[in-house]
């Protein structure tokens, strides 16, 4: 079978501080998150390609009731965080934490605002992992 | 293919059933539906459920439930499609009867969400989202609705307070439903001051965590009249899908799977949206109610909130929704919800909906949404009595 473009590989690229997608040789679309089959051109070859890391905020939410992984990272009712969907300069969208915005005033966070990729390290030793984030450009 | 009718319905009151286990919730609803259909046995049982493995440590619900119904030996399986598991079980049951593979089928949904603490339930519900690319970024089921609602408000200029009528209407109707979790009204002021969960989604935008089970008995339409005094025809049944991840949908506010499944259902039933007397929509969140009304053709893009503000969704409005409380007031025991919607639709079509009965209800639609919109199942039901 051809390459699978797994989340494991995607996360390995993140650990190297690279945001990578799968480029379709036929239509030229860079799929992010990566996928092994282009929905428009199922027969086409796909190859890994690094993205510019530039984008803009497409949607966001300030989370007050946090899931376990974010509670473990120090967030919660008293320390909410912002997560969003980022529209990348290359066209596709991805979910990521949004850093550097004022979570105490969601009205101050602007959809359409330019963002650039950031990489967040959490956990120690074997648990250490790099997470995708974006911050104001 | 044969036409299929619903000849029996049963439901357990939605509540926090701490002392009743998963199997007994299913048993209660299943036995009520069988009794309503004047039957003791069926040929197959399909159990819709989303979370049992995580919230109760119990999978393999087909075999479990059918045994406790006293029907060991009978065909039975669990059907899963996130929060659309209930309608999916009805859909699978319908296919079994329509194809001629079975004559009498029990389709049910059951969910137990209150045995776990909030954080575990939150994690379980998030399994409907994309684990590797959404949940890993701190996304929960509620935050997905927060993203959609924020974007909707941005694109169409609404404020959070404009969504209140979805909640006020659901509670005004649910107040009269003895099987509803919340039988009390909610005011505009109470809605507006509810605490934020994931902005702009506040506590009162969201349906509650709860337990419940509901069931229907299905039979071929050709002899449904010999079994039931008031059979209800399944006039259409359609499933459509979208990418699980909100970020992967071309137009996330279009709720594409709702549009496609409703379109298929309208074509099967040969009707237009305006022919419907009511719509049991999936108001798990106020934003989902709005997007569902738009995707099914009742409002232009961005205008479902206007419909609610103009009173078009109330019992005497253009298209009554959540006539027995919807997910917001009746409750949203996720894998059972789709079957509650169909049971309530049958009550309306039989003229047994009590205080919130619609006059001359002949044609109703129920739409069950899985996750934030990846699997959406639409049923259209018609009174035959
Ligand atoms: Zn392509």
């Amino acid at each position: 079978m051809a390459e699978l473009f797994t989340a494991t590989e995607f996360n390995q690229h993140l650990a190297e501080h690279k945001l990578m997608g799968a480029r379709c040789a036929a239509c030229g679309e860079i799929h992010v998150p990566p996928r092994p089959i282009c929905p428009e051109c199922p027969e086409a070859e796909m190859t890994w390609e690094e993205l510019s890391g530039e984008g803009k905020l497409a949607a966001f939410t300030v989370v007050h009731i946090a899931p376990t992984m974010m509670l473990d990272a120090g967030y919660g009712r008293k320390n909410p965080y912002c997560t969003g969907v980022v529209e990348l300069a290359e066209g596709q969208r991805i979910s990521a934490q949004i850093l550097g915005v004022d979570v105490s005033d969601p009205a101050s966070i602007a959809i359409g605002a330019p963002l650039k990729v950031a990489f967040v390290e959490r956990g120690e030793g074997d648990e250490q992992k790099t997470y995708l984030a974006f911050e104001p450009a | 293919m044969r036409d299929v009718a619903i000849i029996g319905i049963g439901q357990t009151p939605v509540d926090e059933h701490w002392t009743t286990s998963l199997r007994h919730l299913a048993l209660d609803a299943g036995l009520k539906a069988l009794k309503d259909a004047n039957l003791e046995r069926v040929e197959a049982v399909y159990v819709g459920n989303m979370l049992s493995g995580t919230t109760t440590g119990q999978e393999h619900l087909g075999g479990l439930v059918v045994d406790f119904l006293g029907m060991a030996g009978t065909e039975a399986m669990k059907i899963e499609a996130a929060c659309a598991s209930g309608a999916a079980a009805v859909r699978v049951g319908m296919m079994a009867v329509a194809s001629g593979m079975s004559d009498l089928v029990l389709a049910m949904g059951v969910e137990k969400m209150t045995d776990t603490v909030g954080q575990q339930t939150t994690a379980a519900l998030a399994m409907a989202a994309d684990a590797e690319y959404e949940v890993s970024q701190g996304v929960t089921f509620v935050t997905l609705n927060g993203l959609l609602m924020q974007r909707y408000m941005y694109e169409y200029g609404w404020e959070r307070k404009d969504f209140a009528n979805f909640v006020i209407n659901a509670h005004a109707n649910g107040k009269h439903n003895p099987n509803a979790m919340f039988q009390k009204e909610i005011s505009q002021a109470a809605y507006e001051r509810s605490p934020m969960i994931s902005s702009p989604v506040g506590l009162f935008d969201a349906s509650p965590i709860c337990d419940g089970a509901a069931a229907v008995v299905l039979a071929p339409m050709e002899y449904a009249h010999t079994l039931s005094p008031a059979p209800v025809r399944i006039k259409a049944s359609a499933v459509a899908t979208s990418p699980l991840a909100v970020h992967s949908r071309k137009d996330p506010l279009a709720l594409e799977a709702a549009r496609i499944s409703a379109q298929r259902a309208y074509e099967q039933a040969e009707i237009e949206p305006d022919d419907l007397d009511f719509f049991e929509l999936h108001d798990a969140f106020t934003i989902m109610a709005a997007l569902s009304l738009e995707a099914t053709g009742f409002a232009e893009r961005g205008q479902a909130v206007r419909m609610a503000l103009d009173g078009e969704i109330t019992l005497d409005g253009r298209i009554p929704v959540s006539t027995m409380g919807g997910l917001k007031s009746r409750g949203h025991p996720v894998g059972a919800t789709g079957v509650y919607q169909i049971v309530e639709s049958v009550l309306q079509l039989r003229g047994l909906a009590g205080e919130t009965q619609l006059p001359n209800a002949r044609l109703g639609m129920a739409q069950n949404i899985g996750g934030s919109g990846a699997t959406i199942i639409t049923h259209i039901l018609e009174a035959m009595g």
Side-chain angles (χ1 to χ4, degrees):
Chain A
M1 186 158 181
E3 197 169 357
L4 292 174
F5 297 90
T6 63
T8 307
E9 295 167 276
F10 178 79
N11 289 331
Q12 280 163 359
H13 294 309
L14 287 186
E16 296 160 11
H17 289 202
K18 285 181 183 168
L19 174 58
M20 302 278 279
R23 183 185 289 273
C24 169
C27 70
E29 187 79 65
I30 305 184
H31 294 283
V32 193
R35 51 174 71 215
I37 299 169
C38 176
E40 302 299 325
C41 346
E43 305 292 325
E45 281 280 310
M46 306 279 267
T47 48
W48 282 105
E49 187 167 316
E50 186 173 0
L51 288 113
S52 66
E54 289 163 16
K56 58 186 184 182
L57 189 60
F60 70 93
T61 179
V62 175
V63 187
H64 297 259
I65 308 293
T68 305
M69 65 165 280
M70 295 307 274
L71 290 169
D72 290 347
Y75 296 101
R77 219 178 286 254
K78 290 187 179 130
N79 184 24
Y81 64 96
C82 182
T83 186
V85 172
V86 179
E87 187 167 324
L88 300 164
E90 290 81 358
Q92 297 237 334
R93 300 187 206 101
I94 194 160
S95 298
Q97 189 180 351
I98 309 298
L99 306 169
V101 292
D102 183 2
V103 292
S104 70
D105 181 17
S108 71
I109 304 172
I111 286 178
L115 301 172
K116 63 177 195 298
V117 71
F119 300 92
V120 179
E121 313 291 342
R122 291 200 191 104
E124 311 265 316
D126 288 349
E127 302 286 298
Q128 202 271 336
K129 194 182 160 190
T130 309
Y131 292 85
L132 180 65
F134 280 79
E135 60 192 11
Chain B
M1 296 275 271
R2 304 189 290 183
D3 276 357
V4 178
I6 297 170
I7 60 163
I9 54 172
Q11 58 179 320
T12 298
V14 177
D15 209 337
E16 294 183 350
H17 288 286
W18 288 318
T19 57
T20 312
S21 73
L22 187 77
R23 77 182 77 188
H24 290 97
L25 292 174
L27 184 61
D28 181 52
L31 289 176
K32 283 174 177 164
L34 289 167
K35 183 161 184 283
D36 188 47
N38 282 309
L39 292 173
E40 286 179 357
R41 308 185 70 78
V42 290
E43 294 163 68
V45 177
Y46 300 107
V47 183
N49 173 270
M50 174 182 173
L51 303 171
S52 68
T54 314
T55 59
T56 66
Q58 179 72 64
E59 284 290 3
H60 209 170
L61 299 191
L64 177 77
V65 171
V66 83
D67 174 31
F68 271 73
L69 282 165
M71 291 193 278
T74 304
E75 170 175 341
M77 283 180 283
K78 165 169 163 167
I79 308 292
E80 191 274 326
C83 321
S85 300
V90 174
R91 161 94 177 149
V92 169
M94 198 212 71
M95 292 194 293
V97 177
S99 67
M101 293 187 80
S102 296
D103 282 331
L104 297 170
V105 168
L106 180 67
M108 57 166 53
V110 60
E111 204 72 74
K112 193 124 182 43
M113 305 169 74
T114 65
D115 281 358
T116 38
V117 300
Q119 229 175 297
Q120 291 168 309
T121 314
T122 298
L125 285 168
M127 293 192 300
D130 185 324
E132 291 182 321
Y133 294 113
E134 288 185 320
V135 180
S136 63
Q137 302 302 330
V139 165
T140 68
F141 193 42
V142 185
T143 69
L144 293 172
N145 286 276
L147 292 168
L148 292 170
M149 189 170 173
Q150 184 71 55
R151 179 78 201 188
Y152 186 94
M153 288 162 55
Y154 166 79
E155 281 196 25
Y156 303 112
W158 299 111
E159 294 178 46
R160 181 174 175 270
K161 66 176 170 57
D162 299 325
F163 290 78
N165 276 6
F166 290 113
V167 174
I168 293 168
N169 173 65
H171 278 261
N173 295 339
K175 181 184 165 189
H176 304 289
N177 178 1
N179 293 300
M181 175 138 179
F182 300 127
Q183 293 162 29
K184 66 180 175 71
E185 294 186 12
I186 281 185
S187 68
Q188 176 86 30
Y191 168 78
E192 286 184 29
R193 62 169 186 263
S194 70
M196 277 297 128
I197 310 174
S198 185
S199 71
V201 172
L203 187 62
F204 285 179
D205 287 286
S207 51
I209 302 280
C210 51
D211 309 323
V216 294
V217 178
L218 308 174
M221 190 67 230
E222 56 197 298
Y223 63 85
H225 275 288
T226 66
L227 296 166
S228 164
V232 164
R233 182 200 299 267
I234 301 182
K235 210 170 164 64
S237 169
V239 186
T241 55
S242 268
L244 242 68
V246 167
H247 58 230
S248 292
R249 297 183 200 150
K250 287 205 163 57
D251 182 356
L253 297 181
L255 213 58
E256 199 59 9
R259 187 187 65 75
I260 297 169
S261 76
Q263 198 53 48
R264 286 177 187 160
Y266 294 146
E267 281 166 21
Q268 287 170 27
E270 299 180 324
I271 65 157
E272 302 285 328
D274 286 347
D275 296 329
L276 291 162
D277 296 310
F278 62 91
F279 179 20
E280 291 306 330
L281 52 68
H282 191 97
D283 53 344
F285 294 87
T286 51
I287 184 63
M288 278 292 140
L291 296 182
S292 175
L293 278 168
E294 292 169 18
T296 52
F298 288 103
E300 297 292 321
R301 296 286 300 273
Q303 295 308 306
V305 170
R306 166 61 56 203
M307 272 184 80
L309 285 168
D310 288 349
E312 294 188 4
I313 61 166
T314 57
L315 292 177
D316 56 359
R318 178 160 66 92
I319 182 72
V321 309
S322 308
T323 68
M324 301 194 76
L327 282 61
K328 177 69 189 76
S329 171
R330 174 240 296 128
H332 182 27
V334 287
T337 288
V339 188
Y340 276 99
Q341 291 177 314
I342 288 173
V343 165
E344 291 161 359
S345 299
V346 170
L347 286 171
Q348 283 288 358
L349 297 170
R350 284 183 178 176
L352 297 175
E355 288 284 322
T356 59
Q357 177 64 48
L358 295 161
N360 308 316
R362 302 288 304 167
L363 201 58
M365 182 162 79
Q367 186 171 69
N368 194 194
I369 300 181
S372 61
T375 306
I376 303 190
I377 307 181
T378 307
H379 283 97
I380 295 174
L381 307 176
E382 183 181 31
M384 299 307 292

